């Protein structure tokens, strides 16, 4: 019969009962646990593919034919025919195909579509079906696009949009045509030939205005600082001093105070900012959502935003350096450098600070983009004046937790603890200058 | 990565379903026994119902889990274990066990269907892989003629499945052509056709391919439970459904070998007749005996063949052979008796075979129909003859002209022979081919009347003296034996009226007081008595009281004759129910099934086979439907009278169940509700509401029309049930849940967690039990009755 529950109060006050099937789940977990995953590729993984299963069935049929019933040989023959057709057909179809791939633009941005034009020519008299296109994308094991049909002795052109999943230069290695039709037992492939590369810039996000710490040591720039000067917005009023322009006399205040009062204005400045991207593989987590890619995105966002605001930007990313300059050309140079930045170009953080471009920097602000893992490996006496560090927590990007990195008193910090709060973090804490040591 | 593919993801479900259907059909052909398909069919039906219910319940769930849920895992485990439980149940009920591979195949079949029905990511691929293994196993196990065709069909569907699976993973950017389906189908058809032709064709070209396949060539290994052998194994295994399909085409049966005749089989089974030592001492005989011995039987009474009752065991039996041992293959009801020869004259030691009548058949025959029906002697059947039954007999290893004919034959057919001149009577009641021996592998279909022994007992003419051929009433001339027969018959039938009671008393005495020995007892043993050298029948009746079937049959015939009932001895084959071969669906009658039985002449024209040997029986009567009903009712009545306590207990239990039927139904419905918990809260609330509504209808507190659910379950119903708390938050919470489930848009989520809603539903069901609602309804009814019977407190208004 039904049991009487201890229901007291409203429905919202009730607490969920513990799951009754927890023990069963534990039993099933125990029974389905993979105790030797290191041997899966020898035992299980190949059986999960159609070809592996058919080969297994073929061996089974041969065994049964040998010891149980001659029907086994016929079944084995049928399976062998299926396997042979599944392997020979795509191999043959691919021998007759050649083609050309073109991107409709030279540059793109990760996550944004880029037009692609694929031209295929079939030299066989029979049609080719299910032709795939593989761009050697990282972390994308399958086919990236496919053309369903190319007629015999025909040429075919297809246009489609390609959404690059990650910054870089595409194709990475080569573009390949693949075919597994009709049964998909094995994907045969062949090189499509040389393709004009597509440079994919990192994704950017809004980072706000230049920080106060960027300074204003120069007076010819387009950036206005809140120090008394002769340009920009009005900061306040003060008594007239000798040499002040009469155009800036505040007549109303002058009449009230019975002496000349002038408007105090901002000072034009030209911040020179150096972005130091610490991107050594041992200091970052990999993958499209890893800290290495996000460090590049932060650097791209800062460079794009601040160049638009009139600053001069430099980039020091491992062995890649972009000397200081301003304007759109500099933005393109920095973005191209970030797009081409490969794991082989990087240096450990300690060595990065020894690079001449970094050591001899005379500008107003250095922005270090790194991880807590990289900082933890730095010596304790490390300190740099005018260094603003953006620290990506290792654990926030799928890595292991890192013990506290060394304290230092002359640097400002911005620590990204949560990837989902990245935009908020930049928007809210940027101009304040950070948290101090992590 | 491409922005958009032109085609939605291909659904592999229908193709996987097809694969499973073909594989399962093949498995069923291998598993289902044609003789007793009930268990297998029942199990399949049970699995189908469970899976259909499961699918219906989870049809809205998205297959997005990486592995089965706990309930699905339990379901899969149960489905896999079910055939094992069925096998145990079969053993327990005496229906016969199953081979281990059959159990495993059935378990794998259930598991594959279970995986297909459950809702998780990789289910379709796993189900397809299982179907492949099922198909492979079934192809090797099954000998059904459809198995190769199903294998070809599976290849065809499998090619389609693989192609669909390939397209499923392709992010195509253009319109998919339609012609590729035809190309793939062509490939599949070609492969399937090659496979099917190679396996199923009977053309010499394809048959010769088998020559290239190695076979065991005879490994001296043999398993009685094996299903098919290795293509050169037992011949019986070649036939599966009909007697005609038992194959002799590829063995040495067609090589002219020395087939045994009836007397070869008799000699092999019961031993050779003993050669009497010649005694040349002259003795004086009494005069009366001398006269009797001067009576020389007529020529037609000495057919030249006789059955000697004095026999010694065969020195050696045939060596073990893997060849087909069956003499006859029979389909039809069992037990049954198939006559091959009858004997009428007995001289004390040997039975003389009845002479050939030489009579032609009096049959009703259509020139276009090979079926021949007798006009005589069954034109006016007596009332103890029931509906006819049909036997199909294939003669495998028996030489002779006589067809194994069951008693009371009504019609027959041999192949497509339409000319009655091909047949004749050998002896009364035994058909034979005229002037020729029976070709090997002849199929003989015969229809005979079954006998209801109870009606036979009431047959009026059974006890009357009839005039019959004196051979059927003749007794052996030896005075000692004759005296013994008379005394024994009188003793055994003392006090019994004439007719069936006397006949039955003799049969019953033989079946109860004597022991049957399948083969002759060696001489010199105590059990052999003096029958070896002396009179075998005297020894059987007096000292040894054990013997072979011919002893029992001879004793019965002679005892009946001594009482004046015409009888004869018959021999042939006994269709033993234990000879049923489940794989082929036939009774395989071996040489050991040779048997003797007594036959009684009724009304001067019907030879009825009766059974005097313990352990043997008669063919059951095939009653018409009204008699079946009558016998069923009578059996039920006798059963009730035999177990009054049990019947009373069952009746009481039935009354209690009837009284508590609504509570039991509600209990089952609530248990179902608890077990089949839907993951969707909306569905869960609706199911709870259905249970409550049903309880309301059963208790008489159904929600009236015009009442909203909120008003009824939130306000009115608690108010009417005064025994409970006046206001309970559970009711309000449930009423809110009902409002949300029924009227809120599908996009609006539930405020509370799903577990809270689940607990509210459970609490409502516990609170508004059927018993409480019924009490409330009764209380309301009483209050209403009291209100109508009491005087109104309002005074009548004066006009």
């Amino acid at each position: 019969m039904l049991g009487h529950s201890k229901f007291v109060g409203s429905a919202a006050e009730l607490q969920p009962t513990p799951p009754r099937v927890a023990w069963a789940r534990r039993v099933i977990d125990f029974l389905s646990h993979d105790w030797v995953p290191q041997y899966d590729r020898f035992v299980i993984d190949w059986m999960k593919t159609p070809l592996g299963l058919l080969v297994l069935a073929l061996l089974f049929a041969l065994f049964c034919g040998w010891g149980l019933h001659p029907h086994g040989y016929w079944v084995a023959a049928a399976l062998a025919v299926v396997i042979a057709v599944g392997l020979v057909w795509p191999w043959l179809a691919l021998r007759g195909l050649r083609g050309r791939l073109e991107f409709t633009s030279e540059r793109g941005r990760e996550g944004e579509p880029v037009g692609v034009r694929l031209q295929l020519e079939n030299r066989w008299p029979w049609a080719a079906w299910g032709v795939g296109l593989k761009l050697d994308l990282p972390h994308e094991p399958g086919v990236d696009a496919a053309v369903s049909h190319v007629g015999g002795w025909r040429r075919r052109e297809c246009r489609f949009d390609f959404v690059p999943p990650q910054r870089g230069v595409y194709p990475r290695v080569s573009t390949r045509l693949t075919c597994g039709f009709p049964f998909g037992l094995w994907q045969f492939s062949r090189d499509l030939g040389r393709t004009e590369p597509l440079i994919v810039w990192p994704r950017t996000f809004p980072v706000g205005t230049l920080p106060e710490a960027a300074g204003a040591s120069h007076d010819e720039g387009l950036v206005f600082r809140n120090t008394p000067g002769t340009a920009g917005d009005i900061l306040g009023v003060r008594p007239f001093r000798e040499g002040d322009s009469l155009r800036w006399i505040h007549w109303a205040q002058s009449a009230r105070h019975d002496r000349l009062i002038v408007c105090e204005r901002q000072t034009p400045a030209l911040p020179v900012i150096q972005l130091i991207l610490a991107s050594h593989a041992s200091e970052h987590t990999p993958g499209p959502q890893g800290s290495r890619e996000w460090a590049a995105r932060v650097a791209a966002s800062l460079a794009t935003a601040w160049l638009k605001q009139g600053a001069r930007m430099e980039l020091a990313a491992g062995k890649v350096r972009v000397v200081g300059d301003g304007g759109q050309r500099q933005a393109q140079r920095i973005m191209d450098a970030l797009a081409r930045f490969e794991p082989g170009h990087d240096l450990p953080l300690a060595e990065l600070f020894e690079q001449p471009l970094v050591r001899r920097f005379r500008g107003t602000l250095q922005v270090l983009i790194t991880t807590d893992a990289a900082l933890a490996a730095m010596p304790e006496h490390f300190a740099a004046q005018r260094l603003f560090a953006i620290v990506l927590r290792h654990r926030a990007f799928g890595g292991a937790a890192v013990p506290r990195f060394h304290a230092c008193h002359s640097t400002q910090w911005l620590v990204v603890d949560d990837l989902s709060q990245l935009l908020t973090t930049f928007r809210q804490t940027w101009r304040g200058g950070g948290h101090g040591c992590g | 990565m491409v922005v958009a593919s032109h085609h939605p993801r291909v659904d592999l479900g229908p193709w996987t379903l097809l694969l499973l259907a073909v594989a399962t059909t093949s498995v069923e052909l291998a598993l289902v026994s044609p003789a007793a398909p009930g268990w297998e069919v029942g199990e399949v039906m049970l699995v189908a119902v469970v899976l259909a219910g499961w699918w219906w319940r989870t049809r809205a769930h998205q297959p997005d889990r990486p592995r089965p849920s706990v309930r699905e895992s339990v379901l899969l485990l149960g489905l896999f274990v079910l055939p094992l439980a069925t096998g145990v149940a079969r053993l327990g009920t005496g229906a016969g066990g199953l081979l281990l591979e059959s159990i495993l195949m059935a378990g794998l079949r259930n598991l594959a269907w279970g995986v297909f029905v459950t809702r998780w990511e990789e289910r379709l691929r796993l189900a397809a892989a299982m179907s492949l293994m099922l198909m492979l196993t079934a192809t090797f196990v099954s000998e059904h003629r459809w198995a190769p065709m199903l294998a070809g069909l599976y290849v065809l569907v499998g090619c389609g499945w693989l192609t669909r699976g390939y397209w499923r993973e392709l992010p195509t950017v253009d319109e998919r052509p339609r012609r590729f389906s035809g190309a793939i189908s062509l490939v599949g058809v070609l492969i399937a056709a090659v496979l099917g032709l190679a396996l199923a064709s009977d053309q010499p070209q394809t048959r010769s391919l088998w020559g290239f396949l190695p076979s065991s060539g005879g490994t001296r290994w043999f398993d009685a439970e094996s299903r098919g052998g290795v293509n050169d194994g037992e011949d019986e295994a070649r036939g599966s459904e009909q007697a005609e399909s038992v194959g002799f085409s590829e063995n040495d049966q067609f090589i002219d070998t020395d087939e045994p005749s009836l007397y070869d089989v008799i000699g092999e089974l019961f031993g050779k007749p003993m050669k009497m030592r010649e005694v040349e001492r002259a003795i004086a005989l009494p005069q009366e005996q001398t006269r009797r011995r001067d009576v020389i039987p007529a020529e037609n009474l000495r057919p030249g063949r006789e059955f000697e009752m004095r026999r010694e065991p065969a020195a050696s039996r045939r060596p073990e052979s893997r060849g087909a041992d069956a003499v006859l293959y029979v389909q039809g009801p069992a037990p049954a008796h198939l006559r091959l020869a009858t004997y009428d004259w007995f001289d004390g030691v040997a039975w003389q075979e009845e002479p050939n009548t030489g009579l032609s058949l009096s049959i009703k025959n259509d020139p276009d129909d090979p079926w021949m029906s007798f006009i005589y002697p069954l034109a006016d059947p007596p009332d103890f003859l029931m509906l006819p039954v049909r036997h199909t007999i294939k003669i495998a290893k028996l030489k002779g002209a006589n067809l194994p004919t069951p008693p009371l034959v009504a019609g027959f057919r041999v192949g497509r022979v339409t000319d009655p001149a091909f047949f004749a009577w050998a002896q009364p009641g035994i058909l034979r081919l005229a002037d020729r021996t029976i070709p090997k592998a002849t199929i003989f279909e015969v229809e005979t009347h079954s006998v209801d022994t109870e009606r036979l007992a009431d047959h009026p003419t059974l006890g009357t003296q009839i005039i019959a051929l004196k051979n059927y009433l003749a007794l052996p001339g030896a005075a000692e034996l004759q005296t013994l027969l008379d005394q024994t018959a009188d003793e055994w039938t003392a006090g019994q009226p004439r007719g069936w009671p006397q006949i039955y008393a003799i049969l019953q005495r033989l079946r109860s007081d004597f022991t049957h020995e399948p083969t002759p007892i060696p001489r010199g043993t105590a059990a052999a008595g003096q029958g070896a050298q002396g009179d075998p029948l005297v020894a059987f009746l007096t000292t040894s009281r054990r013997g072979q079937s011919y002893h029992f049959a001879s004793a019965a015939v002679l005892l009946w004759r001594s009482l004046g009932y015409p009888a004869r001895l018959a021999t042939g084959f006994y269709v033993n129910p234990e000879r049923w071969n489940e794989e082929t669906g036939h009774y395989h009658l071996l040489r050991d099934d040779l048997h003797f039985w007594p036959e009684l002449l009724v009304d001067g024209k019907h030879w009825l086979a009766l059974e005097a040997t313990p352990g043997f029986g008669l063919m059951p009567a095939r009653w018409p439907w009204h008699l079946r009903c009558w016998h069923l009712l009578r059996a039920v009545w006798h059963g009730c009278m035999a177990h009054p306590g049990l019947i009373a207990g069952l009746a009481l239990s039935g009354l209690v169940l009837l009284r508590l039927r609504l509570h039991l139904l509600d209990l089952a419905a609530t248990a179902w509700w608890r077990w089949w918990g839907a993951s969707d809260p909306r569905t869960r609330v609706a199911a709870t509401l259905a249970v409550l509504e049903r309880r309301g209808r059963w208790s008489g507190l159904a929600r009236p029309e015009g009442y909203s659910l909120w008003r009824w379950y939130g306000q009115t119903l608690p108010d009417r049930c005064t025994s409970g708390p006046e206001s309970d938050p559970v009711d309000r919470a449930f009423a809110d849940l009902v409002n949300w489930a029924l009227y809120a848009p599908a996009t609006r989520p539930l405020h509370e967690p799903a577990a809270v809603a689940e607990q509210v539903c459970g609490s409502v069901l516990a609170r508004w039990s059927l018993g409480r609602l019924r009490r409330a309804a009764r209380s309301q009814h009483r209050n209403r009755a009291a209100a109508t019977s009491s005087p109104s407190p309002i005074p009548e208004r004066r006009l």
Side-chain angles (χ1 to χ4, degrees), chain A residues 58 144 354 392 395:
Chain A
L58 172 65
D144 302 305
E354 297 301 322
L392 308 180
R395 68 162 184 266

Side-chain angles (χ1 to χ4, degrees), chain A residues 97-100 117-122 128-131 146-159, chain B residues 6-7 167 172-177 179:
Chain A
L97 284 177
R98 62 185 177 189
R100 175 181 172 82
R117 184 167 66 241
L118 175 66
Q119 296 173 323
L120 289 175
E121 178 185 358
N122 186 6
W129 286 281
V131 181
V147 179
S148 58
H149 175 255
V150 182
W153 285 330
R154 293 282 191 281
R155 287 182 181 175
R156 179 140 194 223
E157 179 175 308
C158 296
R159 293 172 183 271
Chain B
H6 281 74
H7 299 281
W167 282 108
T172 50
V173 296
D174 59 343
E175 289 296 328
R176 192 170 298 166
R179 283 180 294 172

Side-chain angles (χ1 to χ4, degrees), chain A residues 148-380:
Chain A
S148 58
H149 175 255
V150 182
W153 285 330
R154 293 282 191 281
R155 287 182 181 175
R156 179 140 194 223
E157 179 175 308
C158 296
R159 293 172 183 271
F160 53 93
D161 288 337
F162 167 64
V163 181
Q166 192 174 332
R167 68 176 178 88
V169 179
Y170 293 88
R172 296 291 179 103
V173 182
S174 64
T175 306
R176 303 187 71 80
L177 281 180
T178 67
C179 185
F181 187 84
F183 302 143
L185 300 182
W186 192 262
Q187 288 282 347
F188 292 92
S189 67
R190 66 177 301 184
D191 197 354
L192 193 58
R194 188 172 177 277
T195 304
E196 290 297 324
L198 170 70
I199 300 173
V200 177
W201 292 351
R203 193 190 323 161
T204 59
F205 52 88
V207 296
T209 58
L210 276 165
E212 293 295 334
S217 61
H218 301 276
D219 55 0
E220 297 298 330
L222 299 174
V223 180
F224 298 97
R225 318 303 300 176
N226 287 338
T227 53
T230 59
D233 293 336
I234 297 173
L235 291 175
V237 292
R238 62 172 171 78
F240 180 80
R241 285 201 297 259
E242 199 67 35
D244 286 338
S245 173
L246 295 180
R247 293 179 60 196
W248 299 109
I249 293 175
H250 195 300
W251 295 109
Q253 293 291 338
S254 298
R256 181 175 299 170
H257 292 88
D258 196 17
R259 58 173 179 168
L260 288 174
I261 301 295
V262 295
C263 297
E264 189 78 280
R265 304 196 68 190
Q266 290 179 310
T267 304
L270 181 62
V272 179
I273 302 174
Q274 186 179 60
L275 296 176
I276 305 172
L277 179 59
S279 57
H280 194 266
S282 63
E283 301 163 351
H284 282 277
T285 57
Q289 298 301 320
S291 62
R292 178 186 168 86
E293 291 303 314
W294 273 104
R297 287 165 194 154
V298 168
S301 304
L302 295 177
T304 307
W306 292 347
L307 280 170
K308 283 183 181 174
Q309 295 175 28
R312 293 168 63 93
M313 302 293 296
E314 287 186 4
L315 174 67
K319 298 172 184 174
V320 176
R321 299 176 208 94
V322 180
V323 295
D325 199 354
Q328 283 301 311
R329 291 283 299 170
Q330 181 70 353
Q332 183 171 325
R333 278 195 290 271
I334 291 178
M335 296 297 273
D336 282 354
L338 287 173
R340 296 177 188 277
F341 188 65
E342 296 294 333
H345 300 154
D346 49 15
L347 292 171
L349 185 55
E351 291 184 29
L352 192 58
F353 275 98
E354 297 301 322
Q355 295 293 308
L357 186 69
V358 178
R359 192 155 37 88
R360 296 171 190 167
F361 177 67
R362 296 292 180 268
T364 53
L365 179 66
Q366 283 179 303
V367 176
L368 171 64
I369 306 163
T370 183
T371 62
D372 51 353
L375 287 176
M378 289 292 290
E380 293 188 14

